[in-house]
Amino acid sequence: KQLEKALTLESKINKFIISINDAEIEYIVRSRFIEFKSWSDIACHMHYSRTTPYQKLKRYIKDGKEDRI
């Protein structure tokens, strides 16, 4: 029963991530919260400074583009 709940939750999370209409933000969210990568690893992969992915996600949320949450 716990496994079933976990799989349902995982499915909902993945649907939310897929619904993000910004490829960079989708990558940041998936990397950070599904793959548990550090901000530094995400920034390195995206060729940004260490804090840029965090700032981009923060701005995305602040601008109200997370209405689907």
Side-chain angles (χ1 to χ4, degrees):
K1 185 153 180 149
Q2 258 186 330
L3 178 60
E4 188 176 311
K5 285 183 180 181
L7 291 173
T8 299
L9 183 58
E10 179 184 30
S11 175
K12 288 180 181 181
I13 292 168
N14 280 319
K15 285 179 184 177
F16 166 72
I17 291 172
I18 290 168
S19 75
I20 297 172
N21 292 325
D22 182 312
E24 278 192 330
I25 299 300
E26 180 182 342
Y27 174 78
I28 292 167
V29 170
R30 184 175 303 282
S31 296
R32 182 68 179 171
F33 302 107
I34 300 296
E35 299 172 9
F36 304 106
K37 291 183 179 179
S38 70
W39 290 115
S40 295
D41 288 344
I42 296 167
C44 183
H45 182 268
M46 297 177 81
H47 306 285
Y48 288 137
S49 68
R50 183 182 56 81
T51 60
T52 301
Y54 170 79
Q55 294 299 328
K56 284 181 171 282
L57 180 58
K58 182 178 171 183
R59 192 174 314 115
Y60 179 84
I61 292 168
K62 183 180 177 190
D63 289 347
K65 295 177 182 171
E66 82 301 344
D67 293 338
R68 294 171 303 280
I69 294 178

